[in-house]
Amino acid sequence: MDATIVLLPGDGIGPEIVSQARRVLDVVAQRFGHTFEMPEHAIGGNAIDAFGDPLPEATLTACRNSQAVLLGAVGGPQWDDPNAKTRPEVGLLRIRKELGLFANLRPTKTWDELLDASPLKREIIEGTDILFVRELTGGIYFGESGRRPHPSGEEAWNTMIYSTGEIERVVRVAAQAARKRRGKLTMVDKANVLESSRLWRQVSERLIKTEFPDLAYNVVLVDAMAMHLISKPREFDVVVTENLFGDILTDEASMLPGSLGLLPSASIGSSGPGLFEPIHGSAPDIAGKNVANPLATILAVAMLLRYSMSMNAEADAIEDVVSRVLKSGLRTKDIACSGASVSTTQMGDAVVKTLLG
Ligand code: IPM
Ligand code: MN
């Protein structure tokens, strides 16, 4: 198969980890007989510096014309000025919106090899395997916002707004995923306070009753969910929730496997290219030091091949190699506890070598 995969290295550690992912894609192409074209484009802070725009038109056009997009990370302290005209994060939010990527899939499972890298007790986290489905193009991230004068200075507001259709389509993605897993779906909201959550609850319950009566379905309030995630994470299979709750809960959940450095994510819409990225950020403190963990990005490549190109064997091969490399004891600094660690490129070398067999 011939495919174009757009690479968006972005800021901070983005370029280092994406270049390891590129090597992995090269090896997959070689081993399975594909041709991947992988043009690189700018996004985020470096795009602001070079083009004055965190999502230049050329980047968006290239992404639209591709089969899939692989992103490193965006953001950094040099672009954090609250008075700046634009921000790196705007590029990420816009590309999600422009490509219609309303469902963000964040699988969170613990790796047996790394149970001791988690700050949580082994007995609690062992066997955790959750798929978060976060709504990604609506809610308070995209609702009306503004500032106006106030006797005390100013006041500022954001609006959490959802329509029936926006809720239905993402709950449907989650329910379909649950059917292929353990058949359990949890919807997280704050229906005791928020009107938008009450709509989520109604729409979601109706949809599950009519289209997915076979699923074990429950609802949990987001504050309680924050607690359950670290007290009984094994209870959950697929968790669906709105944008902001999903952002927060998935960062919390990332501590279950021990490191953000191992968690990939897929953002998909109803058609067109998906966007795949590690869930960690640009980690400016370690950027350029060749110590970042490239495995989340490499696992994002596996998701990319699976979801955007139906290349299941290729995706399985990558996941299997990552697990073998971890079993062999190789660790980047973030997951090394106090033991020896390898660099970003050494971890990439090991993955590439094992993948070549
Ligand atoms: C994420 C990130 C983004 C988000 C930021 C960088 C805009 O935290 O992908 O979770 O909040 O969605
Ligand atoms: Mn986040």
Side-chain angles (χ1 to χ4, degrees), residues 26 157 163 210 297 325:
D26 277 332
W157 73 94
S163 66
T210 53
T297 315
V325 165

Side-chain angles (χ1 to χ4, degrees), residues 205-213:
E205 258 162 27
R206 189 172 60 219
L207 185 97
I208 299 302
K209 220 177 253 161
T210 53
E211 293 180 29
F212 301 89

Side-chain angles (χ1 to χ4, degrees), residues 25-88:
L25 279 161
D26 277 332
V27 173
V28 167
Q30 184 186 332
R31 189 175 138 187
F32 291 87
H34 305 301
T35 307
F36 296 148
E37 204 167 328
M38 296 182 273
E40 287 194 11
H41 286 274
I43 192 168
N46 64 84
I48 295 178
D49 293 347
F51 306 101
D53 181 352
L55 182 65
E57 204 50 49
T59 299
L60 186 58
T61 307
C63 292
R64 281 193 207 286
N65 293 327
S66 73
Q67 270 71 52
V69 181
L70 183 72
L71 171 81
V74 298
Q78 62 270 55
W79 302 287
D80 266 351
D81 176 2
N83 297 316
K85 265 209 329 273
T86 184
R87 303 175 53 89

Side-chain angles (χ1 to χ4, degrees), residues 74 89-90 92-93 96 104 106 134 136 141 243 246-248 250-251 265 277-280:
V74 298
E89 290 79 4
V90 171
L92 185 55
L93 298 179
R96 289 171 175 169
N104 183 217
R106 298 187 163 184
R134 166 189 174 193
L136 203 60
Y141 274 55
N243 203 345
D247 180 40
I248 299 168
T250 53
D251 262 29
S265 99
E277 54 182 314
I279 96 155
H280 58 70

Side-chain angles (χ1 to χ4, degrees), residues 183-201:
K184 223 174 139 182
L185 179 65
T186 302
M187 197 277 287
V188 174
D189 66 22
K190 187 68 186 172
N192 54 347
V193 178
L194 302 177
E195 197 55 44
S196 60
S197 282
R198 288 192 277 272
L199 184 64
W200 267 80
R201 202 167 272 212

Side-chain angles (χ1 to χ4, degrees), residues 19 35 75 83 108-109 111 141 147 171 175 177 193 243 260 274 301 305 307 319 346 349 352:
S19 71
T35 307
N83 297 316
T108 305
K109 70 176 174 101
W111 298 76
Y141 274 55
R147 287 190 189 208
V171 172
V193 178
N243 203 345
L260 276 168
V301 168
L305 295 171
Y307 286 97
E319 284 163 1
Q346 283 170 325
D349 291 344
V352 162

